[in-house]
């Protein structure tokens, strides 16, 4: 599946001596954690700043644009960068550079195509939602290209470059958000967020020295179709479920309910951001574990998922003790509705964290069929629970049903990983 280096050919991640293998792993994971910390802080800061600047209803509109971006991001990852990290982690540098050029070109093409659709649909939506979606369409190419550079750097074992790129985005966000606050509209905040990502995307080109080849996107899709299209469906189910739940919640309860859920999620933002970008670190590392010590893959995945679940529970427990005065300082008027959702959202994030460990193992094994089945079940449970709970008991009912659905989905992920590991030992994967 993955090209092997020939004699004298430089690899993106040279194999360390046996005694330093663990130190190399710790180093790569440390840069991954640092990058996720930078990404988490940026996402958290944007959400808090927009929530305090716009209020609960306008923040709900911004959240709809944010959720839509999540859907498009996962489409790009499924087609462009998920196959990259599975098949081109630790390969010869020449192979990596060629793959990155085609992969990043695919991400840029996805952003341009869906961005054009947003430009067409946006004016028809009207209100505050329409201009927000028009601005999102303009910014999508830069947003997706920036994410593609992060995947590329982690596939090469160069997490430091991904971290620096996210820091550049965070620095560019500061003046952009200040200008958007003076304008005071949802569209201005969407533009500010996307423009700062475009700055980081341009810097990624300088870091890598690789020009994205949009013209070769069709060839990339054809070469990676055995993984890419399954990952596309899987990722679309993941983000599409979140979008359907948000739209359904807005229709059943009101747009303010979307803002309340987003506010509660912001309080757990560091863990949610890690979950969204988890494959940046865990899939390449799980692939390396599979190549070098395949008998340790199950334990590695359990450590990843269990660590995240425990971290989410500890963070959520501290949020439950947060005094109202501090909550109002952070979220403003959104706090009072978001505070009721902290416990169920925490349990849901913990369940999702546990499941991502198994998901990384299935990706590393190339078990795309099992991965897709797990995601389809988890997504269906998420949407059904979220909308059913909203119909019965409003925003709080939706949050509790989503938590139960997420924990159930995590159990399915682990059952499939256990079966895939057994098949791998028998030569079936």
């Amino acid at each position: 599946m993955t090209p092997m280096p020939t004699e004298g050919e430089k690899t993106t991640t040279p194999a360390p001596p046996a005694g330093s293998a663990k130190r190399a792993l710790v180093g790569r994971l440390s840069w991954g954690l640092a990058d996720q910390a930078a990404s988490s802080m940026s996402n958290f800061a944007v959400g808090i700043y927009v929530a305090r600047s716009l209020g609960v209803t306008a923040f709900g509109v911004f959240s709809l644009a944010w959720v839509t971006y999540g859907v498009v991001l996962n489409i790009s990852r499924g087609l462009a960068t998920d196959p990259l990290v599975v098949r081109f982690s630790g390969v010869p540098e020449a192979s990596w550079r060629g793959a990155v050029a085609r992969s990043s070109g695919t991400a840029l093409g996805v952003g341009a195509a869906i961005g054009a659709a947003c430009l067409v649909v946006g004016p028809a939506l009207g209100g505050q939602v329409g201009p927000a979606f028009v601005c999102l369409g303009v910014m999508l190419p830069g947003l997706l290209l920036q994410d593609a550079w992060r995947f590329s750097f982690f596939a090469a074992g160069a997490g430091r470059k991904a971290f620096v790129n996210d820091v550049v985005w965070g620095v560019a966000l500061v003046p952009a958000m200040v200008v958007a606050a003076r304008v005071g509209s949802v569209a201005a905040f969407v533009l500010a967020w996307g423009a700062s990502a475009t700055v980081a995307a341009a810097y990624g080109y300088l870091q890598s020295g690789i020009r994205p080849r949009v013209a070769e996107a069709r060839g990339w899709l054809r070469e990676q179709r055995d993984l890419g299209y399954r990952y596309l469906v899987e990722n679309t189910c993941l983000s599409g479920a979140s979008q359907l739940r948000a739209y359904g919640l807005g229709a059943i309860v009101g747009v303010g309910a979307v803002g309340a859920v987003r506010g509660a999620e912001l309080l757990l933002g560091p863990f949610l951001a890690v979950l969204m970008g988890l494959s940046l670190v865990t899939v390449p590392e799980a692939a390396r574990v599979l190549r070098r010590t395949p008998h340790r893959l199950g334990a590695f995945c359990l450590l990843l998922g269990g660590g995240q679940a425990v971290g989410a529970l500890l963070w959520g427990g501290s949020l439950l003790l947060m005094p109202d005065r501090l909550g109002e300082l952070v979220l403003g008027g959104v706090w009072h509705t978001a505070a009721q959702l902290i416990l169920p959202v925490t349990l849901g994030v913990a369940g999702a964290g546990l499941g991502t460990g198994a998901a990384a193992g299935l990706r590393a094994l190339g078990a795309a069929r099992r991965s897709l089945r797990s995601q389809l079940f988890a997504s269906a449970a998420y949407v059904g629970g979220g909308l059913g709970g909203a119909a019965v008991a409003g925003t709080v009912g939706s949050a509790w049903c989503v938590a139960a659905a997420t924990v159930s989905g995590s159990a399915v992920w682990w059952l499939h990983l256990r079966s895939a590991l057994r098949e791998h030992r028998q030569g079936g994967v």
Side-chain angles (χ1 to χ4, degrees), residues 104 107-108 139-150 152-153 161-162 164-170 172 193-212:
S104 59
L108 197 55
M139 295 292 107
L140 274 177
L143 284 162
L144 298 189
L145 182 59
Q146 192 274 339
D147 187 72
W149 290 132
R150 297 174 69 210
S152 302
F153 294 142
K161 290 186 177 180
V164 172
N165 194 275
D166 266 327
V167 169
V168 169
W169 187 1
W193 166 53
S196 55
T198 302
V199 171
Y203 183 66
Y205 168 74
L206 297 177
Q207 287 177 293
S208 65
I210 299 173
R211 181 173 60 86

Side-chain angles (χ1 to χ4, degrees), residues 2 26 77 81-82 86 105 109 136 144 152 166 175 200 222 252 254 257 306 322 332 334-335 345 353 376 389 423:
T2 300
V26 170
R77 287 180 175 179
T81 50
D82 282 347
V86 170
L136 177 65
L144 298 189
S152 302
D166 266 327
R222 184 171 57 251
I252 296 170
M322 180 185 293
V334 179
W335 163 254
V345 170
L376 287 173
E423 291 174 358

